[in-house]
Amino acid sequence: LFKQPTTFGAALGTNFPDALAGAAHIGARGGPLLLVLGTGALPTATAGYLNTAHPTLTGGFLYGGTAAVGDDVLGELDQALG
């Protein structure tokens, strides 16, 4: 049976090492890996996915930390979870 994910991962989409390691980590937990930009707003599709498509998501992991992905993107991810 398919189990709805409760966590997700986010990593910088323009540099692969964090996403590569993050994919293994979040994949083992049954969650999706979202690729984000280093700064700025989340794409509409990503925000929509977090906000409405999967209400079971309660938190996530940021791979690479704020050295790779800015605080503004982290805030956007938090806000999208509602």
Side-chain angles (χ1 to χ4, degrees), residues 3 8 10 15 19-20 22 28 48 50 65 78:
K3 184 178 175 184
F8 69 95
N15 195 359
L20 184 63
L50 290 172
D78 285 338

Side-chain angles (χ1 to χ4, degrees), residues 32-46:
L33 178 66
L34 306 175
L35 300 178
V36 297
L37 297 175
T39 60
L42 291 178
T44 303
T46 302

Side-chain angles (χ1 to χ4, degrees), residues 43-56:
T44 303
T46 302
Y49 175 85
L50 290 172
N51 192 18
T52 59
H54 287 286
T56 58

